[in-house]
Amino acid sequence: MSTYLAEFLGTMVLILLGDGVVAGVSLNKTKAQNGGWIVVTAAWACAVAIPAFIFGDASGAHFNPALTIALAAIGNFSWNLVPGYIVAQMLGAIAGAVLVWLAYLPHWAETKEQETKLGVFCTAPAIRNTVSNLITEIIGTFILVFGILGLGQVTLADGIGTLATGMLILVIGLSLGAPTGYAINPARDLGPRIAHALLPIAGKGGNDWGYSWIPVVGPIIGGLLGAGLFKLVF
């Protein structure tokens, strides 16, 4: 249970800090409004690295169903643990999104654009094209999983591997995140999207369920491809 709790808490912190920066730069009348893409990508990198430092020894710091499934597919993780990990990750993501809503409580009513509010919780494409959006998420998660596995085989000083993973998240966001908002993690997108649907957010609109499968299916495919290629090469 402590392993599942670590995945729950780690994913919660990831979403709190990650969606939190999106709220800060997007919602009206915050001190960080219009902070820009560099602020968002830098904070998301830290949002992944910080809970990974805290919970890495407890659970392996997956915080991502696509990574969990990919590791199991190549024999680096037990399939018996996969369902519990995914449930913990999803619940943690929902909890983190609720905390973001509470942290920015007065700002939802001050923000009129419904798309902006939804965008705090989950991703949306810059140009809506099903095939292209799916490919982007596949590529982003491919390099995420391949990169994590590649970094894991290098002998590094204690903690440097986790820091390098944060750098990997940063460069993925900067280089590949612009078309879709780089979910690269089914829990990161679907959990907060569910929270958006359930929470009494002032002036909210729909949840864009028609798009919601892309940041779930794309990362799972990309993760399997990244892990498969790593296994083939190494």
Side-chain angles (χ1 to χ4, degrees):
M1 288 301 296
S2 62
T3 300
Y4 296 138
L5 181 60
E7 282 294 298
F8 169 84
L9 292 173
T11 311
M12 182 186 73
V13 172
L14 186 156
I15 297 301
L16 172 61
L17 299 179
D19 280 2
V21 71
V22 180
V25 303
S26 302
L27 299 179
N28 285 344
K29 299 186 178 180
T30 77
K31 293 182 179 294
Q33 189 175 9
N34 300 319
W37 192 243
I38 298 296
V39 171
V40 171
T41 53
W44 267 108
C46 295
V48 174
I50 289 170
F53 274 117
I54 298 170
F55 299 106
D57 288 343
S59 70
H62 295 189
F63 313 145
N64 183 340
L67 177 59
T68 299
I69 292 169
L71 292 177
I74 62 171
N76 287 17
F77 189 69
S78 171
W79 279 109
N80 291 333
L81 296 174
V82 169
Y85 262 56
I86 293 176
V87 169
Q89 291 157 0
M90 285 296 300
L91 292 176
I94 293 171
V98 172
L99 293 176
V100 172
W101 171 66
L102 290 171
Y104 284 88
L105 200 55
H107 297 273
W108 306 106
E110 295 290 339
T111 305
K112 303 306 178 186
E113 298 81 6
Q114 295 177 343
E115 298 85 359
T116 298
K117 297 176 198 182
L118 178 62
V120 170
F121 292 87
C122 53
T123 62
I127 298 175
R128 194 168 292 258
N129 182 296
T130 298
V131 174
S132 295
N133 301 154
L134 184 63
I135 289 172
T136 298
E137 287 294 326
I138 290 172
I139 293 171
T141 317
F142 167 86
I143 194 62
L144 171 69
V145 172
F146 187 86
I148 287 173
L149 290 169
L151 291 169
Q153 69 170 354
V154 179
T155 301
L156 299 168
D158 188 35
I160 299 299
T162 300
L163 184 62
T165 299
M167 294 172 62
L168 176 62
I169 298 293
L170 175 61
V171 75
I172 289 173
L174 291 173
S175 302
L176 302 171
T180 62
Y182 72 119
I184 58 173
N185 179 343
R188 172 267 174 274
D189 193 274
L190 184 57
R193 196 182 297 267
I194 291 171
H196 177 272
L198 298 176
L199 288 169
I201 301 166
K204 73 175 180 179
N207 305 291
D208 197 10
W209 293 117
Y211 179 79
S212 65
W213 68 272
I214 290 177
V216 173
V217 174
I220 291 173
I221 295 173
L224 288 171
L225 291 174
L229 181 62
F230 178 85
K231 196 72 171 179
L232 182 64
V233 172
F234 296 99

